[in-house]
Amino acid sequence: MSASTAPVTTTVTGWGRTAPTAARLIRPRTYEEAAAAVRECGARGGIPRGLGRAYGDAAQNAGGAVFDMTGLDRIHAIDADDGTVLCGAGVSLHRLMEVLLPLGWFVPVTPGTRQVTVGGAIGADIHGKNHHVSGSFSRHVLSFELLTADGEIRTVGRGTPLFDATTGGMGLTGVILTATLRLLPVETSLMSVDTERASDLDDLMARLTGSDHHYRYSVAWIDLLARGAATGRAVLTRGDHAPLDALPTRARARALEFRTPRFPAAPAFLPEGLLSRTTVGLFNELWYRKAPRARTGELQRISSFFHPLDGVPHWNRVYGRGGFVQYQFVVGHGREDTLRRIVRRIADRRCPSFLAVLKRFGEADPGWLSFPLPGWTLALDIPAGLSGLGPFLDGLDEEVAAAGGRVYLAKDSRLRPELLAAMYPRLDDFRALRARVDPRRVFVSDLSRRLAL
């Protein structure tokens, strides 16, 4: 092992900055170094890690090894005619946008941050604002190379059990080395955006159900502190990639230019309690009131529409030293009463959440531990130090499971293992395949130990 990949013992945490654990961090830069890292990871095993945007403990491994895969960051080949790219697992979505947008191509699915690696996007089977149209990330993956526990590098194609176990498998089937993706053609790097306000949750769901099919991208910011008649009031933002003829003539020469604003980083530490019910309630009120009642065709940069928080480095620090819990669940169509009850419970509990979004999911993809299913998904952030938070979220977990829903493993940091099988019906298949391809449990994480994956 070269000096550049020598293990360094360090504290590792998720983006929520809860439950940090110590591990040996190894950064391979070649296939050979990755194979050596897996071979020599030790009794506590290892887990691949990208840019650390999983909110919980999926990319942590207490006392073991963590493989930082950002060193495998080459874009190997682009077929600008066919719209495909072959790249290393450590390439970020940000880098892909930088390279591909000037060629008229865009990543097919992006979450709320572009600071995600391709390997991480596959391992978490990420979704975006376009799931109701485009599905999750794995739908656009043609194949990937996977380094398995026996040291073999396998080319894994769609429709195989190993593909379905790996997409959403949180890095537990092996280390993704490269992937081939199908891209989305675009004419500009701008979005045409419609914005409107919804007066309550039922109004919001009616708007989404009635007209979401007209938009490629759709998301609603929801005020989870509003109560009474205003419970679930929201700002609904929907749009698509702007066509070239939507731009002023003078701007068309730079139509595919990718620009990303950047603001000062959040301070290393902010006072505990800064995000109180009072301050978040004031923010939510102002955010709702400043939104237009109805506005159509606004041109926005891709970075502003998809990734507004990426402009503030280390924005997760605003929650203070204690960090925060990102809680996301999905319940199916026909389970709207469950969604209503949960939103009311959160509002009555007065959880100070200002980053709360509601979306509609379309058809699920075949990943055995993939999160999306057809229905409604709500994601919210909550300061980890909120009194009684654990039992409160446990109660929400039980309600979600009883409704046939599930929580998102890439964001989870506290789910009880006994609920996992009810949420993920293919769990036994995943465990069986993992036992076959990794009988010595080389690939392990804090998440896998906590949930007995």
Coordinates of all heavy atoms in Angstrom, one line a residue, residues 271-314:
P271 N -24.5 28.8 18.5 CA -25.0 28.5 19.9 C -26.1 27.5 19.8 O -27.0 27.4 18.9 CB -25.6 29.9 20.2 CG -24.9 30.9 19.4 CD -24.6 30.1 18.1
E272 N -26.1 26.6 20.8 CA -27.2 25.6 20.9 C -28.5 26.3 21.1 O -28.6 27.4 21.8 CB -26.9 24.7 22.1 CG -25.7 23.9 22.0 CD -25.7 22.9 20.9 OE1 -26.8 22.4 20.5 OE2 -24.6 22.6 20.3
G273 N -29.5 25.8 20.5 CA -30.9 26.4 20.7 C -31.1 27.5 19.7 O -32.2 28.1 19.8
L274 N -30.2 27.8 18.8 CA -30.4 28.9 17.8 C -31.7 28.5 17.0 O -32.5 29.4 16.7 CB -29.2 29.0 17.0 CG -29.3 30.1 15.9 CD1 -29.4 31.5 16.5 CD2 -28.1 30.0 14.9
L275 N -31.8 27.3 16.6 CA -33.0 26.8 15.9 C -34.1 26.4 16.8 O -34.4 25.2 16.9 CB -32.6 25.7 14.9 CG -31.6 26.1 13.8 CD1 -31.3 24.9 12.9 CD2 -32.1 27.2 13.0
S276 N -34.7 27.4 17.4 CA -35.8 27.1 18.4 C -37.1 27.2 17.6 O -37.2 27.5 16.5 CB -35.8 28.2 19.5 OG -36.1 29.4 18.9
R277 N -38.2 26.8 18.3 CA -39.5 26.9 17.7 C -39.8 28.3 17.3 O -40.5 28.5 16.3 CB -40.6 26.3 18.7 CG -40.4 24.8 19.0 CD -41.5 24.4 20.0 NE -41.5 23.0 20.2 CZ -40.8 22.4 21.2 NH1 -40.1 23.2 22.1 NH2 -40.8 21.1 21.4
T278 N -39.4 29.2 18.1 CA -39.7 30.6 17.8 C -39.0 31.1 16.5 O -39.6 31.7 15.6 CB -39.3 31.5 19.0 OG1 -40.0 31.1 20.2 CG2 -39.6 33.0 18.7
T279 N -37.6 30.8 16.5 CA -36.9 31.3 15.3 C -37.3 30.6 14.0 O -37.4 31.2 13.0 CB -35.4 31.1 15.5 OG1 -35.1 29.8 15.8 CG2 -34.9 32.0 16.7
V280 N -37.5 29.3 14.1 CA -37.9 28.5 12.9 C -39.3 28.9 12.5 O -39.6 29.0 11.3 CB -37.8 27.0 13.2 CG1 -38.4 26.2 12.0 CG2 -36.3 26.6 13.4
G281 N -40.2 29.1 13.5 CA -41.5 29.6 13.2 C -41.5 30.9 12.5 O -42.3 31.1 11.5
L282 N -40.7 31.8 12.9 CA -40.6 33.1 12.2 C -40.0 32.9 10.8 O -40.6 33.5 9.8 CB -39.6 34.0 13.0 CG -39.4 35.4 12.4 CD1 -40.7 36.2 12.2 CD2 -38.4 36.2 13.2
F283 N -39.0 32.1 10.6 CA -38.5 31.8 9.3 C -39.6 31.2 8.4 O -39.7 31.7 7.2 CB -37.3 30.9 9.4 CG -36.8 30.3 8.1 CD1 -35.9 31.0 7.3 CD2 -37.4 29.2 7.5 CE1 -35.5 30.6 6.1 CE2 -36.9 28.7 6.3 CZ -36.0 29.4 5.6
N284 N -40.3 30.2 8.9 CA -41.3 29.6 8.1 C -42.4 30.6 7.7 O -42.9 30.6 6.5 CB -42.0 28.4 8.9 CG -41.0 27.2 8.9 OD1 -39.9 27.3 8.5 ND2 -41.5 26.2 9.6
E285 N -42.8 31.5 8.6 CA -43.8 32.5 8.3 C -43.3 33.4 7.2 O -44.1 33.7 6.2 CB -44.2 33.3 9.5 CG -45.2 34.3 9.3 CD -46.6 33.7 9.1 OE1 -46.9 32.6 9.6 OE2 -47.4 34.4 8.4
L286 N -42.1 33.9 7.3 CA -41.6 34.8 6.3 C -41.4 34.1 4.9 O -41.7 34.6 3.9 CB -40.2 35.3 6.8 CG -40.3 36.3 8.0 CD1 -38.9 36.6 8.4 CD2 -41.1 37.5 7.6
W287 N -40.9 32.8 5.0 CA -40.7 32.1 3.7 C -42.0 31.8 3.0 O -42.1 32.0 1.8 CB -40.0 30.7 4.1 CG -39.5 30.0 2.8 CD1 -40.1 29.0 2.2 CD2 -38.3 30.3 2.1 NE1 -39.4 28.6 1.1 CE2 -38.2 29.4 1.1 CE3 -37.3 31.2 2.3 CZ2 -37.2 29.3 0.2 CZ3 -36.2 31.2 1.4 CH2 -36.2 30.3 0.4
Y288 N -43.1 31.5 3.8 CA -44.4 31.3 3.1 C -44.9 32.6 2.6 O -45.4 32.6 1.4 CB -45.3 30.7 4.1 CG -46.7 30.4 3.6 CD1 -46.9 29.3 2.7 CD2 -47.8 31.2 3.8 CE1 -48.2 29.0 2.2 CE2 -49.0 30.9 3.3 CZ -49.2 29.8 2.5 OH -50.5 29.6 1.9
R289 N -44.9 33.6 3.3 CA -45.5 34.9 2.9 C -44.7 35.5 1.7 O -45.4 36.2 0.9 CB -45.5 35.9 4.1 CG -46.3 35.5 5.2 CD -47.8 35.4 4.8 NE -48.6 34.9 5.9 CZ -49.9 34.6 5.8 NH1 -50.5 34.7 4.6 NH2 -50.6 34.2 6.8
K290 N -43.4 35.3 1.6 CA -42.7 36.0 0.5 C -42.9 35.2 -0.8 O -42.6 35.7 -1.9 CB -41.2 36.1 0.9 CG -40.4 34.8 0.6 CD -38.9 35.1 0.8 CE -38.1 33.9 0.3 NZ -38.1 33.7 -1.1
A291 N -43.3 34.0 -0.7 CA -43.5 33.2 -2.0 C -44.7 33.7 -2.8 O -45.7 34.2 -2.2 CB -43.8 31.7 -1.6
P292 N -44.6 33.7 -4.1 CA -45.7 34.2 -4.9 C -46.9 33.3 -4.8 O -46.8 32.1 -4.7 CB -45.1 34.3 -6.3 CG -44.1 33.2 -6.3 CD -43.5 33.3 -4.9
R293 N -48.1 33.9 -4.9 CA -49.3 33.1 -4.9 C -49.3 32.2 -6.1 O -49.8 31.1 -6.1 CB -50.6 33.9 -4.8 CG -50.7 34.6 -3.5 CD -52.0 35.4 -3.4 NE -52.1 36.1 -2.1 CZ -52.6 35.5 -1.0 NH1 -53.0 34.3 -1.0 NH2 -52.7 36.2 0.1
A294 N -48.9 32.8 -7.2 CA -48.8 32.0 -8.5 C -47.8 32.8 -9.4 O -48.0 33.9 -9.7 CB -50.1 31.8 -9.1
R295 N -46.8 32.1 -9.9 CA -45.8 32.7 -10.8 C -45.4 31.6 -11.8 O -45.1 30.4 -11.4 CB -44.6 33.2 -10.1 CG -43.6 33.9 -11.0 CD -42.4 34.5 -10.1 NE -41.7 33.5 -9.3 CZ -41.0 33.8 -8.3 NH1 -40.9 35.0 -7.8 NH2 -40.4 32.8 -7.6
T296 N -45.3 31.9 -13.0 CA -45.0 30.9 -14.0 C -43.8 31.3 -14.9 O -43.6 32.5 -15.1 CB -46.2 30.6 -15.0 OG1 -46.6 31.8 -15.7 CG2 -47.4 30.1 -14.2
G297 N -43.1 30.4 -15.4 CA -42.0 30.6 -16.3 C -40.8 31.4 -15.9 O -40.0 31.9 -16.7
E298 N -40.5 31.4 -14.6 CA -39.3 32.1 -14.1 C -38.1 31.2 -14.5 O -38.1 30.0 -14.3 CB -39.4 32.2 -12.6 CG -38.2 32.9 -12.0 CD -38.1 32.9 -10.5 OE1 -38.8 32.0 -9.9 OE2 -37.3 33.6 -9.9
L299 N -37.1 31.9 -15.0 CA -35.9 31.2 -15.3 C -34.9 31.2 -14.1 O -34.6 32.3 -13.5 CB -35.2 31.9 -16.5 CG -35.9 31.8 -17.8 CD1 -35.1 32.6 -18.9 CD2 -36.1 30.4 -18.3
Q300 N -34.5 30.0 -13.7 CA -33.5 29.9 -12.6 C -32.4 29.1 -13.1 O -32.5 28.2 -13.9 CB -34.2 29.2 -11.4 CG -35.4 29.9 -10.8 CD -35.9 29.2 -9.6 OE1 -35.4 28.2 -9.1 NE2 -37.0 29.7 -9.1
R301 N -31.2 29.3 -12.5 CA -30.0 28.5 -12.7 C -30.3 27.1 -12.2 O -31.1 26.9 -11.2 CB -28.8 29.0 -12.0 CG -28.3 30.3 -12.5 CD -27.1 30.8 -11.7 NE -26.6 32.1 -12.1 CZ -25.6 32.7 -11.5 NH1 -25.0 32.1 -10.4 NH2 -25.2 33.9 -11.9
I302 N -29.7 26.1 -12.8 CA -29.8 24.7 -12.3 C -29.4 24.6 -10.8 O -30.0 24.0 -10.0 CB -28.9 23.8 -13.2 CG1 -29.8 23.4 -14.4 CG2 -28.4 22.6 -12.4 CD1 -29.0 22.5 -15.4
S303 N -28.3 25.3 -10.5 CA -27.8 25.2 -9.1 C -28.8 25.8 -8.1 O -29.0 25.3 -7.0 CB -26.5 26.0 -8.9 OG -26.6 27.3 -9.4
S304 N -29.5 26.9 -8.5 CA -30.5 27.5 -7.6 C -31.7 26.6 -7.4 O -32.3 26.5 -6.4 CB -30.9 28.9 -8.1 OG -29.8 29.7 -8.2
F305 N -32.2 26.0 -8.5 CA -33.4 25.2 -8.5 C -33.2 23.8 -7.7 O -34.0 23.4 -6.9 CB -33.8 24.9 -9.9 CG -35.1 24.0 -10.0 CD1 -36.3 24.6 -9.7 CD2 -35.0 22.7 -10.4 CE1 -37.5 23.8 -9.8 CE2 -36.2 21.9 -10.4 CZ -37.4 22.5 -10.2
F306 N -32.0 23.2 -8.0 CA -31.8 21.9 -7.4 C -31.0 21.9 -6.1 O -31.3 21.1 -5.2 CB -31.0 21.0 -8.4 CG -31.8 20.5 -9.6 CD1 -31.5 21.1 -10.9 CD2 -32.8 19.6 -9.5 CE1 -32.2 20.7 -12.0 CE2 -33.5 19.1 -10.6 CZ -33.2 19.7 -11.9
H307 N -30.0 22.8 -6.0 CA -29.1 22.7 -4.9 C -28.8 24.0 -4.2 O -27.7 24.4 -4.1 CB -27.7 22.1 -5.4 CG -27.9 21.0 -6.4 ND1 -27.5 21.1 -7.7 CD2 -28.4 19.8 -6.3 CE1 -27.7 19.9 -8.3 NE2 -28.3 19.1 -7.5
P308 N -29.8 24.7 -3.7 CA -29.6 26.0 -3.1 C -28.7 25.9 -1.9 O -27.9 26.9 -1.7 CB -31.0 26.5 -2.7 CG -31.8 25.2 -2.6 CD -31.3 24.3 -3.7
L309 N -28.7 24.8 -1.1 CA -27.8 24.8 0.1 C -26.4 24.5 -0.3 O -25.5 24.8 0.6 CB -28.4 23.7 1.0 CG -29.7 24.1 1.8 CD1 -30.2 22.9 2.6 CD2 -29.5 25.3 2.7
D310 N -26.1 24.0 -1.4 CA -24.7 23.8 -1.8 C -23.9 25.1 -1.9 O -22.7 25.0 -1.8 CB -24.6 23.1 -3.2 CG -24.8 21.6 -3.1 OD1 -24.9 21.1 -1.9 OD2 -24.9 20.9 -4.1
G311 N -24.6 26.2 -2.0 CA -23.9 27.5 -2.0 C -23.3 27.9 -0.7 O -22.6 28.9 -0.6
V312 N -23.8 27.2 0.4 CA -23.3 27.5 1.8 C -22.5 26.3 2.3 O -23.1 25.4 2.8 CB -24.5 27.8 2.7 CG1 -24.0 28.2 4.1 CG2 -25.4 28.9 2.1
P313 N -21.2 26.4 2.2 CA -20.4 25.2 2.7 C -20.6 25.0 4.1 O -20.8 25.9 4.9 CB -18.9 25.7 2.4 CG -19.0 26.7 1.3 CD -20.3 27.4 1.6
H314 N -20.7 23.7 4.5 CA -20.9 23.2 5.9 C -22.2 23.8 6.5 O -22.2 24.1 7.7 CB -19.7 23.6 6.7 CG -18.4 23.2 6.2 ND1 -18.0 21.8 6.1 CD2 -17.3 23.9 5.7 CE1 -16.8 21.7 5.5 NE2 -16.4 22.9 5.3

